[in-house]
Amino acid sequence: MYQKEFLTSLSYSCRETKATYIFDKYSEILEGNVLDVGADAMYLKPLILARSQCNYVGIGYGKQIDIDHNLEIAPYPFANCSFDTVVCFDVLEHLENISK
């Protein structure tokens, strides 16, 4: 079975440059309605919204988060199939109950 490789020549040194790295590496699948779980300062938001026909929602804790929500509480406040792509970077190690 063929697996797609996601590649980038970029590197990162902080959360903001990590967003650019993620966007460059995964831009092919960061389309449509994108949910960023644990979005922090939502550095991905302007990168995704700069593309036409893309929407972005950041959920978690943060100063300027779209939806302030305790990620330990499931289900999240969305209907099933609300998003085309869900990203979750550097979050799972902070959760007590990952399986939820």
Side-chain angles (χ1 to χ4, degrees):
M1 179 178 183
Y2 173 77
Q3 264 189 330
K4 171 123 178 84
E5 266 190 78
F6 295 100
L7 304 171
T8 182
S9 61
L10 300 179
S11 61
Y12 59 90
S13 59
C14 64
R15 289 179 178 183
E16 190 168 5
T17 58
K18 186 171 187 174
T20 303
Y21 169 89
I22 289 166
F23 183 77
D24 187 65
K25 187 170 183 174
Y26 300 108
S27 63
E28 184 179 317
I29 61 171
L30 293 173
E31 296 180 338
N33 295 318
V34 177
L35 176 63
D36 188 355
V37 178
D40 187 43
M42 299 195 307
Y43 295 119
L44 269 176
K45 186 173 188 171
L47 300 170
I48 291 172
L49 292 181
R51 304 172 90 177
S52 64
Q53 310 258 329
C54 286
N55 297 304
Y56 172 98
V57 175
I59 186 172
Y61 294 123
K63 294 177 184 175
Q64 299 175 333
I65 200 85
D66 288 327
I67 298 174
D68 187 34
H69 182 78
N70 180 347
L71 298 178
E72 297 282 358
I73 299 173
Y76 292 173
F78 307 108
N80 286 341
C81 302
S82 295
F83 298 95
D84 301 299
T85 306
V86 178
V87 295
C88 181
F89 297 100
D90 301 325
V91 174
L92 297 179
E93 68 271 19
H94 300 286
L95 299 177
E96 292 289 326
N97 193 349
I98 296 171
S99 63
K100 278 189 174 181

